[in-house]
């Protein structure tokens, strides 16, 4: 911890802040929030340095609850355009099978950089493609996250049900069960930090019911319980998935999940578009959370996650950008706006406000990742913040600053703090050559998409 992190810092007199009782700002010290400064008050903490936040709207750091970093290398690929999920995957799997460690590092670094600049302070990633030569994919991710200073929950994904076995992925991108379980245990032992304030955590994440065997689903659940880590997978994303489960397993996806030992409070699921009302209640009783991915679901025409119905049943919902081959972006603040618009169009103005959308990307996503020390501005929470200015054309004339972030389409944070340390200042990531990254990343994407 640096000396700056050890001394107290007052983020003073923000333009607006997403917290009650903090009208004059917040004091951080030792990587945590130590004081909220109410209207007309001054800090009780002695010897505080100050940062003038008078031009900034202050949010808890946004939390991305679902992503596939490597997919930044396959944005807007012609062969995958205008396809629904299954044919879209079939068009992209052969490209992903050519991933190299160097390309993966660039794809992951660019994804995390884009997230950070959008106000994200913690992200998950679901990496499940391990062609030959890419066995150390999670190690590459950890190194990239540490370089950027981003808080992460990285999932050791897996696929072992290939086309020859009745699954969707080609043979070249799957691994056998023993290899998957051994590496899962290795990366948890090496990287997972179970303590409060953790910067790196690991979860286990078979890709989906149509790409892994029942044996692997059950073995993963047993391993996760033994290692005390979270679990993640895609579920109920499309009607095709429902039909696949009915044909192969003779049940709906949630029934299959429960049969495999996956319906519990250490699990969060991506998408959750095609659950019924009875399943909302089952998910809520189990404590299983859902990551809502609005842009991806719209791009692939998968349907709309029934967020309000899930919450009314007692469920927990966060927001994820999903992979950059279906979203084609990794901007979490834009995803907040997309969720707001999509859910308001479904439920009406009385049901969904801009504050709901911000809550889904903070407290809701914190529930997905199993964290109570992030996701809100409260004494004792980690000092993770996203600060936005309203000095662009899009904000001119706005009244409510918090509403303006969502309604007017904020997309880039001016400052981002993680654990009391600024990792973005003046809308720039400290120490990152963005132009050079784009140049190298673009070259890697071209090579991947056009081999030979």
């Amino acid at each position: 911890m640096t000396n700056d992190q050890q001394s107290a810092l007052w983020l003073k007199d923000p333009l607006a802040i997403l917290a009650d009782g903090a009208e004059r700002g917040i004091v951080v010290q030792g990587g945590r929030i130590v004081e909220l400064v109410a209207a007309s008050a001054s800090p009780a903490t002695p010897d505080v340095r100050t940062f003038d936040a008078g031009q900034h709207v202050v949010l808890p750091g946004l939390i991305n609850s679902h992503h596939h970093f490597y997919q930044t290398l396959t944005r807007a690929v012609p062969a995958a355009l205008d396809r629904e999920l299954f044919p879209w995957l079939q068009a992209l799997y052969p490209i992903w099978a050519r991933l190299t460690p160097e390309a993966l590092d660039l794809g992951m670094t660019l994804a995390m950089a884009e997230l950070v600049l959008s106000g994200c302070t913690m992200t998950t990633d679901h990496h499940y493609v391990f062609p030959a030569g890419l066995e150390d994919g999670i190690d590459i991710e950890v190194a990239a996250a540490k370089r950027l200073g981003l808080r992460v929950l990285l999932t050791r994904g897996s696929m072992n049900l290939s086309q020859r076995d009745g699954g969707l992925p080609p043979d070249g991108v799957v691994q056998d069960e023993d290899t998957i379980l051994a590496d899962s245990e290795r990366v948890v032992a090496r990287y997972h930090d179970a303590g409060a304030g953790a910067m790196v955590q690991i979860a286990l994440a078979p890709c989906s019911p149509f790409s892994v065997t029942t044996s692997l689903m059950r073995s993963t659940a047993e391993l996760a319980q033994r290692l005390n880590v979270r679990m993640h997978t895609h579920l109920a994303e499309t009607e095709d998935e429902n039909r696949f489960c009915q044909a192969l397993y003779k049940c709906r996806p949630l029934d299959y999940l429960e049969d495999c030992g996956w319906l519990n409070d250490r699990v969060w699921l991506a998408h959750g578009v095609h659950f019924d009302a009875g399943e909302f209640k089952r998910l809520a009783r189990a404590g299983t959370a859902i990551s809502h991915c609005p842009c991806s679901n719209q791009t692939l025409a998968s349907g709309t996650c029934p967020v309000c119905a899930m919450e009314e049943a007692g469920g927990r919902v966060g927001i994820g950008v999903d992979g950059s081959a279906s979203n084609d972006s990794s901007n979490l603040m834009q995803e907040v706006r997309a969720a707001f618009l999509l859910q308001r169009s479904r439920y009406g103005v009385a049901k969904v406000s801009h504050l709901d959308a911000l809550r889904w990307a903070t407290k809701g996503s914190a529930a997905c990742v199993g964290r109570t020390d992030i996701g809100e501005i409260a004494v004792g929470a980690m000092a993770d913040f996203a600060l936005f200015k309203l000095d662009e054309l899009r904000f001119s004339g706005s009244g409510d600053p918090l509403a303006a972030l969502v309604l007017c389409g904020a997309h880039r944070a001016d400052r981002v703090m993680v654990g009391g340390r600024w990792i973005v200042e003046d809308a720039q990531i400290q120490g990152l050559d963005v132009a050079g990254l784009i140049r190298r990343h673009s070259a890697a994407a071209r090579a991947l998409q056009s081999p030979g």
Side-chain angles (χ1 to χ4, degrees), residues 437-449:
L437 174 61
I438 293 172
R439 184 173 61 254
R440 296 191 304 275
H441 179 273
S442 297
R446 287 193 298 270
L448 193 67
Q449 295 174 34

Side-chain angles (χ1 to χ4, degrees), residues 203-219:
L204 306 185
C207 182
S208 63
F210 50 82
S211 59
V212 301
T213 61
T214 301
S215 174
L216 180 57
M217 286 292 288
R218 289 174 175 161
S219 296

Side-chain angles (χ1 to χ4, degrees), residues 16-52:
I17 186 168
L18 188 61
D20 295 328
E23 294 81 7
R24 293 213 65 202
I26 43 190
V27 179
V28 304
Q29 188 172 23
R32 293 182 178 273
I33 301 170
V34 296
E35 186 179 354
L36 306 185
V37 186
S40 304
S42 296
T45 306
D47 302 322
V48 295
R49 298 176 295 118
T50 61
F51 170 79
D52 182 359

Side-chain angles (χ1 to χ4, degrees), residues 245-259:
C245 285
Q246 291 281 8
L248 190 62
Y249 305 122
K250 312 304 179 188
C251 63
R252 286 177 58 80
L254 191 63
D255 299 321
Y256 175 70
L257 199 76
E258 185 170 25
D259 183 61

Side-chain angles (χ1 to χ4, degrees), residues 420-433:
R421 183 171 74 88
W422 294 117
I423 63 171
V424 172
E425 297 183 49
D426 300 323
Q428 302 295 320
I429 297 173
Q430 299 306 296
L432 182 67
D433 175 8

